[in-house]
């Protein structure tokens, strides 16, 4: 079965950097669109970034210029490099996978993804 396992979340201070990883298994990783989302307490799940099999990228305005998504198809892993972290970045961070071939903006909607990880907590102290 498909499994997505996020890792790398922890407590950091404002201004720090952090890299999250999401290891995938049970799917042909190189053919899947991979997305990153986050959810803070009491808020809806928020789109952060997506990367297609072709390598094309898309970011939410809230993280553009601070976060970088990348993928390593040889390791079946997608990454989210987060720089200049702020307290408002505190949330549970999730990766998601979907095999669809659509325009990249389609993948900003969390409901379109077939598979999700369990999430990793990122806490940014001020």
């Amino acid at each position: 079965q498909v499994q997505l396992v996020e890792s790398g979340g922890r407590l950091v201070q404002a201004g720090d950097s952090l890299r999250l990883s999401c290891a995938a298994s049970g799917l042909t990783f190189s053919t899947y669109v991979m997305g990153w989302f986050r959810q803070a307490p009491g808020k809806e799940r928020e789109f952060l970034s997506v990367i297609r099999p072709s390598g094309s990228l898309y970011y939410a305005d809230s993280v553009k210029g601070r976060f970088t998504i990348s993928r390593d198809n040889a390791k079946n892993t997608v990454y989210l490099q987060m720089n200049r972290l702020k307290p408002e970045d505190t949330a549970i961070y999730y990766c998601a996978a979907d095999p669809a071939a659509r325009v990249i903006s389609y993948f900003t909607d969390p409901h379109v993804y077939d598979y999700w990880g369990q999430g990793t907590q990122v806490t940014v102290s001020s």
Side-chain angles (χ1 to χ4, degrees), residues 6-86:
E6 301 94 335
S7 61
R10 61 182 176 92
L11 173 64
V12 296
Q13 293 196 335
D16 284 353
S17 296
L18 201 58
R19 189 177 80 157
L20 304 182
S21 300
C22 170
S25 60
L27 51 75
T28 307
F29 179 79
S30 62
T31 67
Y32 274 68
V33 173
M34 301 299 297
W36 281 100
F37 291 77
R38 68 186 178 191
Q39 190 164 18
K43 295 190 175 182
E44 293 188 351
R45 195 161 293 192
E46 176 190 10
F47 166 77
L48 300 176
S49 185
V50 60
I51 184 167
R52 291 205 294 194
S54 63
S56 58
L57 315 171
Y58 190 76
Y59 295 97
D61 288 342
S62 59
V63 302
K64 198 176 297 182
R66 293 194 301 127
F67 290 10
T68 303
I69 191 172
S70 61
R71 65 191 298 161
D72 185 337
N73 290 336
K75 295 183 178 179
N76 286 1
T77 301
V78 62
Y79 304 98
L80 187 68
Q81 176 68 41
M82 305 186 295
N83 298 328
R84 303 193 303 279
L85 283 162
K86 307 174 184 180

Side-chain angles (χ1 to χ4, degrees), residues 1-5 22-29 32-34 95-99 113-118:
Q1 73 277 20
V2 175
Q3 277 195 310
L4 302 177
V5 180
C22 170
S25 60
L27 51 75
T28 307
F29 179 79
Y32 274 68
V33 173
M34 301 299 297
C95 68
D98 194 81
Y113 287 83
D114 282 355
Y115 305 107
W116 288 87
Q118 83 290 345

